[in-house]
Amino acid sequence: MLRWLLVEAGHSAAQFDPELRRKYQRLVFRRGRNVAKVALARHLAVRLYWTLRQASSATPPAHTPGSPR
């Protein structure tokens, strides 16, 4: 299910982001349409991972009353 969602997101992103569109077109020419879709989905997953990782390290955890320190 996650792979399907990432492939759909990659297909949509390739329509609107010129950098991803170039990457997709180059991969279609070299490897074929299906491989290019999955490669673009993986590229988005890596971008998402690093975005979430950097966002989580930027904000310290909030301490609420009653929570252990």
Side-chain angles (χ1 to χ4, degrees):
M1 176 84 172
L2 182 60
R3 179 180 174 178
W4 179 79
L5 288 172
L6 285 170
V7 168
E8 290 296 317
H11 183 69
S12 178
Q15 292 177 347
F16 298 107
D17 186 0
E19 176 189 347
L20 290 177
R21 182 180 303 136
R22 280 192 305 270
K23 184 179 185 79
Y24 176 74
Q25 290 297 329
R26 190 182 80 235
L27 286 169
V28 167
F29 178 73
R30 290 173 54 212
R31 301 286 183 191
R33 191 169 308 274
N34 292 333
V35 174
K37 286 181 182 180
V38 174
L40 198 60
R42 182 185 182 281
H43 183 73
L44 285 178
V46 170
R47 271 191 183 181
L48 179 64
Y49 170 78
W50 283 107
T51 301
L52 291 174
R53 183 172 170 156
Q54 290 173 353
S56 67
S57 66
T59 57
H63 292 292
T64 57
S67 66
R69 296 244 177 216

